[in-house]
Amino acid sequence: MKKILILSLLILASCGNKKEIKQVAELSCGQCKFDLDSESGCSLAVRLDGKAYFVEGFKIDDFGDAHDEHIGFCNVIRKGEVTGEIVDNKFVASAIKLVE
């Protein structure tokens, strides 16, 4: 009985440590639209709960020309369903699906 209790507690503790985020968020160029300056050039960024993070795992041109006047991330802020976690003040994305 003691082993079952300990095993149950370990399972519950491991589930509580999961930091994965899955939500609809704003995506754009971190430098051009979100005023991030810790990287040079244009880089994909996500804004979660009012705070912007550079994205790892996807590049800004993975979703088309970043400088396109109508859909480019350097010119517009787009919405997408993002999945990933925040590691060292960056959003490490496992999935991004644009919703617009």
Side-chain angles (χ1 to χ4, degrees), residues 25 27 63-64 71 73 78-81 96-100:
L27 293 157
F63 303 93
I71 63 165
F73 285 128
R78 300 173 73 184
K79 294 221 185 261
E81 185 177 287
I96 296 176
K97 180 181 178 187
L98 297 176
V99 294
E100 290 184 61

Side-chain angles (χ1 to χ4, degrees), residues 6-87:
I6 291 172
L7 183 59
S8 297
L9 289 174
L10 287 173
I11 291 171
L12 286 174
S14 67
C15 291
N17 289 336
K18 191 170 185 177
K19 298 183 265 179
E20 185 175 76
I21 297 166
K22 183 175 184 177
Q23 71 180 64
V24 174
E26 295 178 315
L27 293 157
S28 199
C29 177
Q31 293 84 345
C32 297
K33 292 296 186 181
F34 293 154
D35 298 321
L36 296 175
D37 59 7
S38 60
E39 292 184 12
S40 61
C42 294
S43 303
L44 185 62
V46 62
R47 187 159 42 203
L48 301 166
D49 301 322
K51 183 167 170 44
Y53 302 91
F54 283 114
V55 172
E56 287 189 2
F58 291 85
K59 302 289 184 203
I60 196 164
D61 286 319
D62 288 347
F63 303 93
D65 180 6
H67 295 101
D68 182 274
E69 183 179 345
H70 301 288
I71 63 165
F73 285 128
C74 291
N75 293 307
V76 297
I77 296 172
R78 300 173 73 184
K79 294 221 185 261
E81 185 177 287
V82 298
T83 304
E85 59 186 350
I86 297 169
V87 178

